[in-house]
């Protein structure tokens, strides 16, 4: 069943049924101020860091689900309702939610009143804007009461949900006209406050939740809304909120609108107060003034749309598949930008408290956004590299606000360092900015230790080499890409971390996956060194990855597929000799992407085994057979019930690795049919099964062993976004940025006759037409540049504004 439809022209997903299988959300904000917003106006806002600077509260596992957010209430005689249905859940006569790029519009109608809620965060300002328009569609005059409501979080989201004995006494607010200031802790060590504003005169307000809701009240029926007015309360401790009330009289066909704004404001340390206890509101006044009229609101929204338009116009495809077009041109690219902003910190499944920026996650995310925001990608690489440890190892995570490595979790995830080579290589291919390698970057954020970025890559590479196990394969440490394959940890008691318990970094357990990575990114590193004229070093690197290739084929090959690992006792994992977990997806994808066994036949055998043992109608499961019991020597992977998460779930992140592998083997039909299986746009019709948003990828789909086979979970913040974008655009459509130009090497279904791509690359717009008259799956016969045939398959960089390219397969 569908709950809405794509509106590609406006780059929107339009939801027509408010009771979606799960909240379907959008992200507002692209610089420092962010808000999550669901199709029923649930969500929360924060400044930069969802843990440390949370503006509004959100309760994740509450029931009913998704009750906190940016709701407005309308009281029309005895009916109270919300245009987004929640939290009153009064049945609406009409409902629509349009999620666009960085904005959403929710419209609801009840009893001939239409309420429209338009929300966005403008570029470059720390403010969430929400315009509410009420229209009387009746022939009679209407007397309406409109209420806004936000519940402030006392800044530190973790502390806010735990330290009640303190926090119930600290809440403070000030009210000035239509502006409600939330100033908790401003008196002491904070120099920031929040303000919730209305650009109209208000009839009444509340800042005490107890008064607005009632101590035993509920968001579905707040006391103030039932009463038809607020009580002008000033909160002293407990739960400070912001609620405006406006009485509106509307004649037939008349409309009324008001702009609400939630802003984050910082004040210079020495100008915090204008009088004892009275906060300095000047910077707030200045900010609010920028958006206090419809004209200014509309201009901000236009600017935002132009920003997205410009960002996305650098990569546009026209193929016969509208699903492919909308993924590349709109939603997959958008999701990549959201992962740039959020890493894995804040979604409807990531609380914003748990994880900051992941080292490997952020490196991989970069593969999907580097072409849109190369400058910010550059900065991101340098930030990540600065958390690398002097021995080449990496902190697994860092906090976005401080940009420092997170020592609670530490390092020892032995794939992490190699991802730094992956993202730096992608960045250089995209931009040609070799100078980034000369940038001095700290180790472990210690300026005394700063070395050029190239040295960081060197240490990443050597970190693997310095940590080889008995089969000369890389030691896995606490885990590799699969955070849940914990071969050294032996976590026995509840509450113990699966990853950082026990000896953790043993000398025996090895990962064939990291071995594949080492070959793949070792090749990239050697290319880089050669390009810099460092051929002696390149030779050493080449020898090292060639040896690794041999080690994989000798001790990492299981006969019909690549082995997954050796455990801490030297026993095989992911082998025909195992009863469960005989074959894993990750080493098949990574080793073939690295080219291992491509010429000698192992790669094809491995892909056949994937098709036979792992492929399902909803994608490829992570391993098979699923683990049926918890196994101390394997760790978290076996803690999940069969079919979920890493225990034989369909992990969307590594499905594109197999798609890539198929393109390397030249199998365009296979590649595309696998691509479609996890692609959300192709799953729209089964939203009641898939449940998560049909416009973005989720991390995981329940596998064939799960009772809820096909059910998606953990949408939005996943490396899937970057990898699927990369595999579709580079592997299938074949547009591959290379060091000295653009290579075009499609691998497509044989029925595709032609497609077009506009690709901005190093300042030149390439208008590319791919023709496939003979119905082949791979292989370029002719490359024409502005009508002239090229000898090389790489289209060189030029200073022309645009060029035409024709590819004949
Ligand atoms: C809190 C603390 C307690 C302390 C008291 C006075 O109740 O739990 O340890 O003595 O405040 O500061
Ligand atoms: C999660 C993590 C990612 C990891 C994957 C597999 O998506 O964010 O870092 O690679 O799970 O365990």
């Amino acid at each position: 069943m569908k709950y809405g439809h794509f509106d590609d022209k406006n780059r929107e997903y339009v939801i027509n049924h408010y009771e979606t299988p799960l909240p379907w959300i959008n992200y507002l904000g692209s610089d420092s101020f962010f808000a999550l917003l669901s199709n029923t106006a649930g969500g929360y806002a924060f400044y930069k860091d969802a843990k440390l600077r949370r503006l509004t509260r959100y309760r994740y596992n509450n029931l009913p689900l998704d009750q906190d957010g940016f709701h407005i209430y309308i009281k029309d005689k005895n009916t109270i309702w919300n245009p987004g249905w929640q939290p009153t859940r009064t049945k609406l006569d009409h409902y629509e939610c349009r999620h666009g790029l960085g904005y959403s519009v929710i419209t609801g109608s009840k009893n001939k009143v239409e309420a429209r809620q338009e929300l966005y965060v403008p570029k470059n300002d720390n403010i969430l804007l929400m315009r509410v328009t009420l229209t009387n569609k009746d022939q009679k005059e209407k007397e309406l009461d409109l209420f806004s409501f936000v519940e402030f979080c006392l800044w530190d989201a973790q502390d806010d949900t735990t330290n009640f004995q303190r926090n119930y006494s600290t809440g403070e607010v000030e009210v000035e006209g239509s502006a409600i200031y939330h100033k908790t802790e401003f008196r002491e060590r904070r120099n920031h406050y929040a303000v919730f504003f209305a650009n109209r005169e208000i009839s009444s307000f509340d800042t005490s939740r107890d008064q607005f809701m009632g101590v035993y009240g509920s968001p579905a029926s707040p006391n103030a809304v039932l009463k038809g007015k607020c009580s002008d309360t000033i909160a002293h401790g407990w739960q400070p909120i912001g609620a405006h009330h406006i009485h509106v009289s509307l004649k037939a066909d008349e409309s009324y609108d008001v702009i609400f704004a939630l802003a984050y404001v910082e004040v210079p340390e020495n100008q915090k107060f204008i009088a004892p206890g009275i906060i300095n509101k000047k910077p707030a006044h200045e900010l609010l003034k920028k958006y206090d009229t419809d004209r200014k609101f509309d201009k901000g929204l236009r600017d935002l749309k132009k920003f997205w338009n410009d960002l996305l116009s650098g990569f546009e495809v026209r193929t016969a598949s509208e699903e492919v077009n909308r993924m590349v041109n709109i939603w997959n690219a958008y999701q990549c930008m959201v992962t740039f902003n959020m890493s894995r910190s804040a979604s409807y499944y990531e609380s914003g408290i748990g994880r900051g920026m992941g080292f490997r996650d952020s490196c991989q995310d970069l593969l999907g956004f580097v072409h849109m925001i190369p400058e910010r990608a550059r900065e991101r690489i340098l930030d990540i590299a600065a958390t690398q440890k002097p021995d080449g190892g990496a902190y697994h995570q860092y906090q976005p606000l401080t940009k420092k490595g997170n020592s609670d979790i530490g390092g020892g995830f032995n794939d992490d360092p190699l991802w730094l080579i992956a993202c730096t290589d992608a960045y250089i291919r995209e931009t040609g900015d070799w100078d980034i390698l000369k940038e001095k970057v700290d180790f472990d954020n210690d300026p005394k230790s700063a070395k050029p970025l190239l040295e960081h890559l060197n240490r990443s590479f050597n970190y693997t080499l310095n940590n080889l196990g008995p089969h000369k394969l890389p030691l896995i440490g606490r885990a590799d890409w699969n955070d849940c394959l914990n071969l050294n940890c032996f976590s026995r008691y509840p509450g113990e971390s699966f990853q950082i318990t026990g000896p953790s970094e043993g000398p025996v357990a090895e990962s064939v996956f990291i071995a594949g990575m080492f070959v793949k990114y070792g090749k990239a590193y050697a290319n880089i060194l050669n390009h810099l004229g460092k051929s002696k070093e390149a030779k050493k690197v080449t020898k090292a990855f060639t040896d690794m290739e041999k080690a994989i084929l000798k001790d990492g090959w299981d006969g019909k597929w690549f082995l997954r690992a050796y455990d801490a006792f030297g026993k095989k994992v992911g082998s025909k000799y195992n009863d469960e977990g005989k074959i894993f997806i990750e080493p098949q994808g990574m080793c073939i992407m690295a080219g291992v066994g491509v010429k000698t036949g192992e790669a094809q055998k491995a892909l056949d085994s994937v098709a036979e043992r792992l492929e399902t109608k909803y994608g490829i499961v992570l391993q098979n057979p699923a683990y049926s019991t918890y196994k101390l020597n394997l760790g978290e992977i076996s803690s999940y019930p069969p079919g979920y998460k890493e225990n034989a779930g369909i992990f969307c992140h590594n499905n594109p690795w197999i798609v890539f592998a198929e393109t390397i083997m030249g199998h365009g039909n296979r590649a595309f049919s696998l691509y479609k299986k996890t692609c959300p746009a192709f799953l729209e019709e089964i939203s009641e099964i898939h449940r998560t948003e049909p416009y973005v990828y989720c991390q995981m789909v329940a596998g064939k062993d799960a009772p809820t086979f096909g059910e998606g979970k953990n949408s939005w913040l996943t490396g899937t976004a970057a990898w699927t974008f990369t595999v579709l655009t580079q592997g299938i459509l074949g547009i591959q940025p290379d060091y000295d130009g653009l290579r075009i090497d499609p691998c497509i279904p044989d029925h595709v006759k032609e497609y077009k791509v506009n690709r901005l690359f190093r300042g030149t717009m390439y208008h590319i037409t791919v023709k496939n008259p003979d119905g082949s799956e791979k292989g370029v016969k002719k490359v024409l540049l502005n009508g002239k045939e090229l000898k090389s398959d790489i289209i060189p960089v030029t200073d022309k504004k645009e060029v035409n390219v024709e590819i004949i397969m």
Side-chain angles (χ1 to χ4, degrees):
M1 173 188 170
K2 282 173 40 161
Y3 290 79
H5 61 271
F6 288 92
D7 176 350
D8 294 338
K9 200 167 137 271
N10 290 307
R11 298 199 174 101
E12 292 171 338
Y13 192 80
V14 187
I15 302 164
N16 304 112
H17 300 267
Y18 41 75
E19 209 168 346
T20 43
L22 287 166
W24 284 1
I25 75 160
N26 194 11
Y27 282 85
L28 314 182
S30 43
D31 303 299
S32 304
F33 188 100
F34 300 100
L36 284 61
L37 182 75
S38 75
N39 59 305
T40 61
Y44 62 92
F46 60 93
Y47 170 75
K48 280 194 181 169
D49 189 319
K51 179 178 182 185
L52 301 174
R53 287 292 152 83
R54 184 82 65 103
L55 267 79
T56 59
R57 282 189 177 145
Y58 193 81
R59 296 163 185 84
Y60 272 83
N61 50 11
N62 223 10
L63 194 76
L65 199 60
D66 197 28
Q67 292 281 293
D68 308 308
F70 309 100
H71 300 115
I72 58 156
Y73 294 87
I74 295 155
K75 181 172 191 297
D76 177 3
K77 296 213 182 94
N78 289 327
T79 308
I80 65 169
W81 60 283
N82 313 94
W85 179 58
Q86 290 241 64
T88 60
R89 293 193 283 153
T90 300
K91 198 168 171 302
L92 297 173
D93 300 332
H94 180 261
Y95 159 90
E96 180 189 85
C97 166
R98 289 181 171 262
H99 281 322
L101 307 185
Y103 68 91
S104 293
V105 182
I106 299 171
T107 312
S109 302
K110 184 75 191 170
N111 298 341
K112 301 200 169 145
V113 174
E114 183 190 272
R116 185 177 150 90
Q117 211 177 342
E118 298 165 89
L119 300 101
Y120 74 96
V121 173
K123 285 296 294 170
N124 306 317
D125 276 318
N126 296 321
I127 191 165
L128 168 69
L129 301 170
M130 173 170 85
R131 178 164 62 190
V132 175
T133 310
L134 300 179
T135 305
N136 180 6
K137 302 222 158 169
D138 205 348
Q139 293 314 308
K140 295 179 295 212
E141 191 161 334
K142 288 260 187 191
E143 297 294 326
L144 304 171
D145 289 289
L146 169 69
F147 296 84
S148 71
F149 173 73
V150 296
E151 181 174 355
F152 295 113
C153 177
L154 308 190
W155 303 114
D156 180 326
Q158 168 98 53
D159 187 76
D160 185 64
T161 49
T162 46
N163 192 6
F164 303 116
Q165 63 88 22
R166 169 180 158 82
N167 294 341
Y168 283 177
S169 292
T170 55
E172 287 191 301
V173 298
E174 273 182 49
V175 178
E176 179 192 64
S178 303
I180 296 166
Y181 290 84
H182 174 231
K183 58 171 189 177
T184 301
E185 291 191 346
F186 191 78
R187 60 167 56 245
E188 29 127 342
R189 293 154 299 170
R190 294 188 183 275
N191 67 337
H192 45 263
Y193 54 72
V195 53
F196 189 39
F197 166 80
N199 76 334
R200 300 275 198 153
E201 206 174 300
I202 55 175
S203 313
S204 62
F205 66 87
D206 268 318
T207 70
S208 154
R209 196 185 73 183
D210 284 355
Q211 290 303 315
F212 183 82
M213 288 287 174
V215 176
Y216 296 99
S218 120
S221 55
N223 277 357
V225 180
L226 293 175
K227 220 166 54 183
K229 65 178 178 29
C230 299
S231 314
D232 295 353
T233 52
I234 297 294
H236 300 286
W238 299 109
Q239 330 287 355
I241 59 148
H244 303 98
H245 159 232
I246 305 175
H247 183 78
V248 183
S249 308
L250 284 182
K251 298 207 181 70
D253 290 326
E254 207 183 359
S255 287
Y256 167 91
D257 75 57
V258 47
I259 298 168
F260 295 104
L262 175 68
Y264 168 86
V265 178
E266 287 182 355
V267 186
E269 193 58 46
N270 58 357
Q271 298 166 24
K272 281 173 65 172
F273 295 96
I274 52 164
I278 307 298
I279 64 173
N280 176 0
K281 303 180 187 69
K282 197 160 159 260
H285 293 157
E286 284 165 9
L287 175 57
L288 296 171
K289 210 169 156 22
K290 289 174 79 174
Y291 300 101
D292 63 353
T293 67
D294 284 328
R295 197 178 48 79
K296 297 178 197 173
F297 181 97
D298 290 332
K299 168 141 190 346
L301 187 54
R302 269 200 312 278
D303 289 350
L304 181 70
K305 288 185 180 176
K306 181 171 182 323
F307 163 78
W308 279 105
N309 194 32
D310 291 350
L311 205 61
L312 299 183
S313 63
F315 208 140
E316 274 176 330
V317 305
R318 261 169 296 151
T319 74
S321 160
E322 60 176 5
E323 289 88 354
V324 164
N325 301 347
R326 68 173 59 115
M327 288 318 290
V328 179
N329 301 345
I330 308 169
W331 292 102
N332 200 171
Y334 183 56
Q335 189 178 0
C336 287
M337 283 301 295
V338 171
T339 63
F340 162 73
N341 286 320
M342 299 290 134
S343 189
R344 304 296 170 270
S345 68
S347 73
Y348 264 37
Y349 312 91
E350 299 282 3
S351 66
I353 293 174
R355 300 199 267 175
M357 312 285 284
F359 191 98
R360 81 157 82 86
D361 293 331
S362 296
C363 288
Q364 289 172 87
D365 292 344
L366 192 135
L367 307 177
F369 63 71
V370 59
H371 65 288
M372 289 184 276
I373 45 165
E375 292 84 20
R376 299 182 80 184
R378 186 181 213 271
E379 185 190 340
R380 176 61 56 80
I381 292 173
L382 301 177
D383 284 347
I384 297 171
T387 69
Q388 187 176 28
K389 298 182 176 188
D391 70 351
Y395 282 100
H396 197 46
Q397 289 159 8
Y398 70 98
Q399 222 34 58
L401 198 67
T402 62
K403 295 187 174 179
K404 292 224 164 87
N406 174 350
S407 22
D408 298 343
I409 177 115
F413 294 73
N414 282 352
D415 64 317
D416 273 332
L418 290 170
W419 291 114
L420 185 64
I421 302 182
C423 70
T424 307
D425 180 59
Y427 171 79
I428 295 175
R429 284 171 191 264
E430 181 64 40
T431 60
D433 172 19
W434 292 90
D435 282 348
I436 192 175
L437 297 170
K438 297 184 196 148
E439 262 329 307
K440 287 236 168 99
V441 187
D442 301 348
F443 284 95
D444 202 352
N445 293 100
D446 172 9
K448 289 196 295 290
S449 66
K451 287 268 156 44
L453 180 64
L454 184 65
E455 176 58 20
H456 284 259
L457 303 193
N458 181 37
R459 293 196 198 175
S460 288
F461 187 76
N462 283 311
Y463 178 84
T464 309
L465 266 189
N466 295 335
N467 288 282
L468 296 182
H471 303 90
K472 297 274 177 252
L473 293 166
L475 292 173
I476 197 168
R478 300 176 191 278
D480 61 17
W481 172 88
N482 190 332
D483 266 337
C484 300
L485 190 62
N486 314 121
L487 304 180
N488 291 307
C489 300
F490 304 96
S491 170
R492 186 184 286 278
Y493 300 104
E496 279 179 350
S497 160
F498 287 107
Q499 281 82 24
I500 60 177
T501 298
S504 294
E505 290 173 65
V508 176
E510 297 168 301
S511 162
V512 178
F513 171 79
I514 302 180
M517 269 190 94
F518 183 79
V519 177
K520 178 165 166 58
Y521 298 115
K523 285 180 179 172
Y525 182 42
N527 285 336
I528 289 173
L529 291 170
N530 275 322
H531 202 282
L532 297 173
K534 296 176 184 290
S535 54
K536 242 173 73 192
E537 290 170 46
K539 257 193 203 132
K540 267 200 230 153
V541 169
T542 304
K543 161 107 181 37
F545 72 68
T546 312
D547 288 348
M548 186 65 76
E549 224 170 327
K550 287 181 196 147
I552 294 174
L553 290 174
K554 180 168 173 281
D555 291 313
W557 178 248
D558 198 54
K560 287 188 175 168
W561 55 81
F562 294 99
L563 196 69
R564 180 62 177 85
Y566 286 92
D567 72 11
F569 310 99
K571 294 227 173 68
K572 291 180 176 178
V573 178
S575 158
K576 60 187 171 214
Y577 299 112
N578 300 125
D579 297 334
E580 296 176 338
K582 284 173 185 289
I583 169 172
F584 281 65
I585 187 174
E586 306 102 305
Q588 323 311 325
M590 190 50 80
C591 290
I592 302 173
M593 286 199 293
V596 181
V598 169
K599 295 212 174 96
T600 43
E602 291 86 351
Q604 188 53 55
K605 278 190 198 155
L607 286 177
D608 292 342
S609 301
V610 168
E612 186 191 328
R613 290 166 181 264
L614 300 180
E615 191 179 336
T616 76
K617 67 173 167 174
Y618 297 127
I620 303 164
V621 297
L622 194 142
Q623 103 273 11
N624 183 262
Y627 294 114
S628 57
T629 55
Y630 179 57
K631 298 187 168 52
L632 208 53
N633 62 321
L634 299 178
E636 186 169 3
I637 186 168
S638 57
S639 75
Y640 290 109
Y644 293 102
K645 296 278 285 180
E646 282 85 342
N647 189 13
I650 296 158
F651 228 82
C652 300
H653 186 143
N654 50 30
N655 273 243
W657 297 345
I658 299 296
V659 179
F660 248 128
E662 292 286 3
T663 66
I664 286 168
M665 305 305 289
H667 303 153
N669 290 331
R670 279 288 293 154
F672 191 61
S673 92
L674 287 174
Y675 167 82
K676 286 200 300 196
K677 289 191 170 187
T678 57
C679 178
F682 286 98
L683 303 174
E684 193 190 11
E685 293 282 355
I686 56 154
S687 288
E688 78 286 6
I689 298 172
H690 189 60
R691 299 188 71 196
T692 53
E693 297 91 334
Y695 41 92
V696 292
Y697 282 93
C698 53
Q699 179 207 49
M700 188 220 56
V701 173
K704 60 187 174 185
D705 307 290
T708 58
F709 183 33
E711 176 190 52
K713 265 187 203 143
N714 307 350
S715 56
W716 282 97
L717 304 185
T718 159
T720 314
W723 275 104
T724 50
F725 188 85
T726 312
V727 82
L728 178 61
T729 58
Q730 301 190 17
I732 296 175
L733 300 173
I735 317 294
Q736 303 166 5
D738 213 324
Y739 305 109
D740 301 313
L742 205 55
R743 181 198 309 273
I744 300 171
D745 186 13
C747 183
I748 53 176
D750 54 9
H751 63 80
V752 172
K753 291 281 168 269
E754 183 179 306
Y755 60 93
K756 290 180 189 291
V757 180
N758 288 335
R759 168 67 150 101
L760 188 68
F761 178 67
R762 306 209 194 159
T764 302
M765 184 59 89
Y766 289 73
H767 302 284
I768 304 162
T769 305
V770 174
K771 293 187 174 161
N772 185 23
D774 302 335
S776 61
E777 292 179 66
K778 186 158 180 163
V780 170
K781 287 197 187 125
K782 231 190 235 175
V783 181
L784 300 167
L785 176 61
N786 292 327
K788 282 205 204 94
E789 189 165 352
L790 273 191
K791 286 262 151 54
S792 140
D793 62 342
I794 293 199
I795 302 152
V797 176
T798 117
D799 48 20
K800 297 215 176 71
K801 269 211 122 91
E802 44 191 348
V803 295
N804 289 314
V805 178
E806 202 174 305
I807 302 287
I808 316 285
M809 293 179 61

